[in-house]
């Protein structure tokens, strides 16, 4: 056979591959083919989400993530895996996370308080007085050390009953600040049995689904008998998985010459993870679950707006001008989220008899909390960092959705005991949603790249 004949066959093969790749996105990004544009369990179409994200949310959330309050995240990357013997950390250089020196962290963030409620806290003299008082042990001199520890443990336990995630202890000597802008989420080369075991544990041991159904089969069809809550739970995890995979495909190490890496979108990797044939039909469903997750976190942002709209809440870094601008941008994003007309209706969840609904909600919370603990089993530090942050962000979104009454009854000029968010939760919430917004934007970029290969 002549070389020209081989070239013709090669060109035809590339054309067939391009056509097949386009089918991945045409199923999801249009109301054609085997999947419609309307998402299951809600009345929202994908095209509306794309437009809303592209023209309203994405540019603003990108700017917000660059603000000092949201770029520094305190995390403990040395917590041992609670479920199996540690495989040892990834030795690939791109897995490394560079912690932020204390001198680089804004003074208001490292002051030690998880949140600031008074504008007077912007006064540096008051801050120094508080730090000096702590150094002198003037918290409460009437309590013995044993009583103080017992009180702290009791308060921490009481507060944890509202959490959907296992939070890192920020007082631990192993907890360090990380500058998220200097440690971007991207493909590190971390894969194989260790990475597979983490996701397998999440899907097989922690998701509500029939025991007879195994990943990557879809357990979401109503005919299988799963109630709305359990379908939602599974789709949240699937959507998170899809989003993380999209980040890795979009920010892939394409080549490295003379020690200078070049990162960018990898169409072949995208195909491997989302092509209908290579994923046995699961790829388009995974992408739809990404959109569903986006809707859930978008709904949470619209619901938590009253918490931040109070004048008593500051995004405190110690720089009054910076703080005011950050809060103004955040409130602007909240206005956009509230303007979206096709929100997911969380009131349809846990709407049965009170006893059954309460039990199911608690089971939901504990399952998700367990998943957050599995993130401490990720062997790659950079993957662990972003896995923990995005899991905590979703957990914070769930906490918000199930605290609507408490948020609505917040006092204007004082913190509420009924609902609180730590700085760690706020940073995770915004950055996790920022990651989802980026995923949907990257999906549009892959659509263009695939069209160019036709």
């Amino acid at each position: 056979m002549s070389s020209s004949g081989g070239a013709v066959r090669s060109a035809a093969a590339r054309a067939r591959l391009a056509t097949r790749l386009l089918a991945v996105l045409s199923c999801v990004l249009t109301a054609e083919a085997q999947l419609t544009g309307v998402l299951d369990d809600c009345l929202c179409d994908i095209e509306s989400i794309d437009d809303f994200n592209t023209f309203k949310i994405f540019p603003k959330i990108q700017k917000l993530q660059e603000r000092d309050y949201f770029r520094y995240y305190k995390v403990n990357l040395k917590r041992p895996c609670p479920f199996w013997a540690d495989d040892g950390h990834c030795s690939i250089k791109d897995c490394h996370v560079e912690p932020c020196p204390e001198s680089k962290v804004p003074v208001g963030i490292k002051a030690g308080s998880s949140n600031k409620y008074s504008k007077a806290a912007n006064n540096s003299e008051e801050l120094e007085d508080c730090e000096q008082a702590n150094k002198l042990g003037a918290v409460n001199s009437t309590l013995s050390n044993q009583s103080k520890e017992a009180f702290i443990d009791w308060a921490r336990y009481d507060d944890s009953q509202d959490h959907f995630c296992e939070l890192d202890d920020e007082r631990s000597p192993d907890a360090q600040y990380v500058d998220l802008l200097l440690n971007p989420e991207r493909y590190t080369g971390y894969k194989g049995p260790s990475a597979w075991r983490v996701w397998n544990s999440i899907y097989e041991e922690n998701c509500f689904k029939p025991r007879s159904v195994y990943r990557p089969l879809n357990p979401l069809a109503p005919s299988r008998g799963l109630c709305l809550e359990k379908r939602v739970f599974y789709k949240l995890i699937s959507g998170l998985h899809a989003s993380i995979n999209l980040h890795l495909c979009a920010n892939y190490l394409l080549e490295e010459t003379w020690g200078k890496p070049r990162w960018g979108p990898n169409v072949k990797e995208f195909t491997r993870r989302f092509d209908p044939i290579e994923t046995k039909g699961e790829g388009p469903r995974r992408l739809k679950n990404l959109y569903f997750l986006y809707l859930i976190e978008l709904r949470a942002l619209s619901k938590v707006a009253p918490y931040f709209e109070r004048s008593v809440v500051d995004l405190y870094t110690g720089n009054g001008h910076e703080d005011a601008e950050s809060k103004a941008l955040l409130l602007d994003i909240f206005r956009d989220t509230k303007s979206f007309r096709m929100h997911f209706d969380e009131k349809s969840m846990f709407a049965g008899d009170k006893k059954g609904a309460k039990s199911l909600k608690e089971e939901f919370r504990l399952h998700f909390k367990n998943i957050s603990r599995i993130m401490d089993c990720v062997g790659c530090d950079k993957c662990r960092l972003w896995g923990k942050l995005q899991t905590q962000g979703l957990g914070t979104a769930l906490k918000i959705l199930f605290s609507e009454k408490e948020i609505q009854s917040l006092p204007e000029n004082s913190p509420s005991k009924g609902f609180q968010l730590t700085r760690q939760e706020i940073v995770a919430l915004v950055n996790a949603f920022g990651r989802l917004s980026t995923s949907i934007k990257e999906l549009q970029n892959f659509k263009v790249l695939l069209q160019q290969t036709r």
Side-chain angles (χ1 to χ4, degrees), residues 78-365:
K78 297 181 180 179
R79 285 176 55 164
C81 173
F83 298 106
W84 55 77
D86 197 345
D87 293 328
H89 286 289
C90 176
S91 59
I92 302 172
K93 66 176 183 177
D94 292 316
C95 285
H96 177 66
V97 169
E98 191 64 43
C100 188
E102 284 283 323
S103 60
K104 297 288 186 179
V105 182
V107 62
I109 291 177
K110 64 183 180 183
S113 177
S114 61
N115 210 338
K116 299 289 183 182
Y117 288 95
S118 171
K119 287 187 179 296
N122 283 327
N123 187 311
S124 59
E125 291 181 2
E126 178 180 315
L127 180 61
E128 291 172 1
D129 289 342
C130 289
E131 290 178 334
Q132 184 64 24
N134 285 332
K135 290 177 182 177
L136 295 174
V139 177
N140 188 336
S141 59
T142 64
L143 292 176
S144 67
N145 289 335
Q146 186 176 6
S147 297
K148 289 177 186 176
E149 287 299 319
F151 179 82
I152 291 172
D153 288 341
W154 172 65
R156 188 183 300 126
Y157 173 80
D158 187 57
D159 185 48
S160 71
Q161 300 312 292
D162 196 33
H163 290 150
F164 280 73
C165 281
E166 187 82 21
L167 302 181
D168 285 349
D169 182 0
E170 295 191 62
R171 302 175 303 167
S172 167
D174 289 329
Q176 294 179 298
Y177 284 103
V178 173
D179 185 337
L180 298 175
L181 297 183
L182 297 182
N183 293 274
E185 183 181 24
R186 58 192 179 193
Y187 184 78
T188 64
Y190 174 65
K191 55 186 177 181
S194 177
W196 181 88
R197 180 162 57 174
V198 170
W199 282 111
N200 187 66
S201 179
I202 289 172
Y203 278 105
E204 299 300 339
E205 298 176 22
N206 291 280
C207 275
F208 297 104
K209 64 183 182 63
R211 290 186 179 274
S212 60
V213 177
Y214 294 93
R215 186 167 67 94
L217 298 179
N218 174 35
L220 303 179
S223 60
R224 295 186 185 272
L226 286 180
C227 67
L228 172 63
E229 291 83 2
K230 295 181 180 180
R231 291 200 305 273
V232 165
F233 190 95
Y234 185 89
K235 291 198 301 192
L236 294 179
I237 302 306
S238 174
L240 178 61
H241 195 181
S243 180
I244 290 174
N245 280 337
L246 258 170
H247 304 153
L248 306 186
C249 295
N251 211 353
Y252 201 94
L253 180 58
L254 301 177
E255 63 178 357
E256 186 167 6
T257 56
W258 302 103
K260 293 183 178 181
R262 184 170 70 88
W263 303 85
N266 187 323
V267 175
K268 184 178 179 180
E269 186 68 18
F270 177 86
T271 305
R272 187 180 73 81
R273 295 175 186 262
F274 296 107
D275 177 80
I277 295 177
E278 298 219 14
T279 61
K280 298 180 181 180
E282 278 299 297
R285 265 194 290 262
R286 293 169 184 168
L287 293 176
K288 290 194 80 170
N289 291 338
L290 161 65
Y291 279 90
F292 184 82
L293 174 59
Y294 180 94
L295 275 185
I296 291 291
E297 295 200 15
L298 180 71
R299 180 62 163 171
L301 289 178
S302 71
K303 288 288 184 181
V304 81
Y307 179 86
F308 291 94
E309 287 168 351
R310 299 176 300 158
S311 59
V312 73
V313 175
D314 288 328
L315 301 177
Y316 183 70
T317 67
N319 181 328
H321 181 69
E322 163 94 8
D323 299 345
E325 287 189 345
S326 297
K327 183 169 181 179
L329 181 54
L330 180 63
L331 295 184
D332 189 28
I333 292 173
F334 285 145
R335 282 190 289 273
D336 285 336
T337 64
K338 288 190 284 189
S339 73
F340 189 69
R341 297 184 179 276
M342 289 176 280
H343 277 293
F344 174 78
D345 182 10
E346 75 284 353
K347 292 180 181 177
S348 59
M349 298 175 64
F350 312 115
D353 65 280
K354 283 189 175 182
K355 185 176 180 181
K358 183 177 180 180
S359 174
L360 187 58
K361 176 181 174 181
E362 180 62 9
E363 187 180 3
F364 196 100
R365 187 182 73 84

Side-chain angles (χ1 to χ4, degrees), residues 11-23 271 275 278 450 453:
R14 286 197 299 271
R16 287 195 298 272
L17 176 61
T19 301
R20 198 176 76 186
L21 293 176
L22 279 170
T271 305
D275 177 80
E278 298 219 14
L450 291 171
T453 64

